[in-house]
Amino acid sequence: MVTILLELKEVLHQLSAEEYAEKRESLLGSSIGMHVRHTLEFFSCLTSALETVTLNYDQRKRNPVLELDLAAVNETIDELSARLISEDKTLLLKAFYPKGPVVIFTSYFRELMYGIEHAIHHFAMIRVALQEVPNLQIPAGFGFAFSTLAYLESK
């Protein structure tokens, strides 16, 4: 997680506050900041679940400051990176579906993997918007799944 979040910081460091917060047609009316907020909040849910044992992405705290304030984003990334642990832990995942709530056992490592894949999915969308920003250096693998990068390297 730390690696992809540091890569995100590297990309965001090149943006102005206006470029970060601008709502874009290429993102169907959302902004780069909205995708970043959403991504960080999933990791925040996971790190908070280490204390409570219950994980619920649907009831995450939405922080609109993360859609506008790049300094707050950098601070949040640093905080999330510091809260990582190196041992697995059983968690209860709660989710809401049309036929009612679901509760299943999961693990910290499983959800960390999910969070990374979820982040990469949003980074792919962010990459589309970044291509509209002149003079921006986008890391070659930004927004690509690790398996896709491995496949492309093998060709």
Side-chain angles (χ1 to χ4, degrees), residues 4 7 11 120 123-124 127 138-146 148-149 152-153:
I4 66 165
E7 190 174 60
V11 168
I120 291 169
F123 291 2
R127 184 183 184 100
I138 306 170
F142 186 78
F144 287 90
F146 298 128
T148 301
L149 293 173
L152 294 173
E153 285 180 15

Side-chain angles (χ1 to χ4, degrees), residues 75-91:
E75 183 178 313
T76 300
I77 289 172
D78 293 342
E79 288 171 3
L80 290 170
S81 298
R83 292 171 65 189
L84 285 175
I85 62 171
S86 59
E87 58 192 54
D88 206 2
K89 182 174 181 176
T90 301
L91 302 172

Side-chain angles (χ1 to χ4, degrees), residues 22 47 50 59 67 69 74 85 98 121 129 133 147:
E22 180 184 348
T47 58
L50 292 170
Q59 291 185 331
E67 296 177 11
D69 187 341
N74 286 326
I85 62 171
H121 162 76
V133 179
S147 60

Side-chain angles (χ1 to χ4, degrees), residues 4-154:
I4 66 165
L5 292 179
L6 292 177
E7 190 174 60
L8 177 63
K9 277 177 86 168
E10 176 187 334
V11 168
L12 297 180
H13 180 70
Q14 301 175 65
L15 295 176
S16 69
E18 293 77 21
E19 291 165 334
Y20 179 72
E22 180 184 348
K23 293 186 178 172
R24 300 170 180 274
E25 278 188 45
S26 61
L27 294 176
L28 303 175
S30 63
S31 67
I32 292 169
M34 293 167 106
H35 284 272
V36 169
R37 174 197 52 81
H38 177 80
T39 300
L40 295 180
E41 287 172 354
F42 269 59
F43 285 125
S44 182
C45 282
L46 179 58
T47 58
S48 294
L50 292 170
E51 298 167 16
T52 64
V53 184
T54 302
L55 175 60
N56 189 329
Y57 298 114
D58 298 328
Q59 291 185 331
R60 67 190 178 279
K61 296 175 185 167
R62 289 161 172 88
N63 183 357
V65 170
L66 296 176
E67 296 177 11
L68 306 170
D69 187 341
L70 286 163
V73 168
N74 286 326
E75 183 178 313
T76 300
I77 289 172
D78 293 342
E79 288 171 3
L80 290 170
S81 298
R83 292 171 65 189
L84 285 175
I85 62 171
S86 59
E87 58 192 54
D88 206 2
K89 182 174 181 176
T90 301
L91 302 172
L92 282 175
L93 175 64
K94 292 185 176 182
F96 296 107
Y97 286 93
K99 294 196 180 216
V102 174
V103 180
I104 61 169
F105 285 103
T106 188
S107 75
Y108 171 72
F109 285 167
R110 164 63 188 93
E111 295 304 319
L112 187 59
M113 288 175 58
Y114 166 73
I116 290 168
E117 294 300 322
H118 178 254
I120 291 169
H121 162 76
H122 281 276
F123 291 2
M125 291 185 279
I126 290 169
R127 184 183 184 100
V128 170
L130 292 173
Q131 292 173 333
E132 300 169 356
V133 179
N135 304 317
L136 194 75
Q137 300 295 315
I138 306 170
F142 186 78
F144 287 90
F146 298 128
S147 60
T148 301
L149 293 173
Y151 171 77
L152 294 173
E153 285 180 15
S154 72

